[in-house]
Amino acid sequence: MSGQPFPQQRPENLPRPRRRRVPHWVRIAVSIVIGVVLFLFGLFTSVMALTSNTWAFADGIISNTGMLAVLLLVPVWGTVFLRHKWPWVPFIAGALLTAGWGDALLLLIGLFHLVIRASKRQAFVASAVASALVIASTVRMCLSPVQLNPFAILFLPGPEQMTNLDAPAPPADALLAITLVTIAAAVIGLGISLGVGVLLRRTKRMRAVETIAARETQRSDSLSAELARQSERELLARELHDTLSHRLSVISLHSGALEVGGNDDPGIASTASALRQEAHASLEDLRHLVGGVREGTLANAGPQKEASTPPSLTSMRSIPQLVASVQATGTIIRPSIIIQDVESAPTVLDRAVYRIVQESLTNAMKHAPGAPVTLEVTVSADLGARAVIANPAEPSAQRFHPPRTTTEAGPGIPPYPTSAPRVGPANPGAQQSLPSTGAGAGLVGIRERVAMLGGEVFIGVRDGSFLVDVTLPPFERQG
């Protein structure tokens, strides 16, 4: 491994606290309240604008036609509630009011929401149409008799003078004030609708750009971190390959030579053959392990991420071969293996059962050499997986002849050998202890696998035996 640490992640890579968002129902309620205010205020202004029409009001009294116009203003101003989702509806209704008698408030509301939400082309078209209508309406009101200008009510001495064309003209300063107020109202209305609308549109666009930029920055940082991890995995894979493959190859070559040269002693030849097969299998495991380290697929449990390790090597199907290889060392194993629904078992569970049995047998050979090992493995979709591996807590030098065994297995499980091979009459390899160089990492690994799958595990001494008892949950049967 390289002594260089991984690059520190930037704060952007850390989970950002989510902004406290306003609840959806609160936003709806606020929108409705604003819509009601606009509806009432707009209806009032439209009715006031009707006073400049002689066909609606005469001598301050509303006519039947004016009453009908007031009733029609209610559904027309009801379109203000559609300003968010369909801004074209209030815009068109407001355009009709503006063209009819110069009431441009609803038109400006629709224009405001179109500038914010519509496409650039639609916003441009709406702005041009609204500006033309407002300017035309303003010019018409300025050129019409002052009694027909809705803003004249602010300067005339009495409301009865509205729509009364025979009434005397107001003073010149009043005429100038009415004209200036009319122009100012048009300029302010267009300025707010266009200016504020464009500002909010740009702000909305900038927020979207910032969101995309932040997402791309986070993606770039993630890719940089992934490249760093990939580099470390490549280095680790090279170290694993260079360090172990040579030693295992040498062991395999020497074992082959010992097997050929030990024809006179069947025990030595059998031991050398078993050693050579284990070295070859270790080389295969190392090759796939290095591939998994390089691809970063060892930590993933998905079915497509398990291709780095061949199922034939780490599967419940291989437990009989694993037991046979351990028995070839002279270790006495009393197995009981019942495996069903192996095709339906998840890949991660299939691998976990094999690794648990493998580590438990290795632990027994290292710390209790010469002692018999009892192995019970039961797997089914309905009951889950259960693996119990036990050996006497105190190593015993007494040797036992392995009993005849039978194995019930599901489809695809190779038949288990009915007796264990013997390695010489005295089994000298079984009497020697393996170097106790372990630090308990294997037992920790068993606990981690069981915890990942949501199972239960007991590891310890019980009734004079060192026991590894693992229970994994049921899984779904396919077919």
Side-chain angles (χ1 to χ4, degrees), residues 410-456:
I413 305 298
Y416 184 76
T418 57
S419 63
R422 297 298 303 269
V423 187
N427 297 314
Q431 305 295 334
Q432 300 178 2
S433 300
L434 292 174
S436 298
T437 57
L443 300 181
V444 173
I446 292 177
R447 292 189 175 96
E448 290 176 349
R449 291 180 186 274
V450 174
M452 180 180 63
L453 294 172
E456 299 178 356

Side-chain angles (χ1 to χ4, degrees), residues 290-303:
V290 168
V293 170
R294 284 180 174 173
E295 297 173 4
T297 58
L298 292 180
N300 298 299

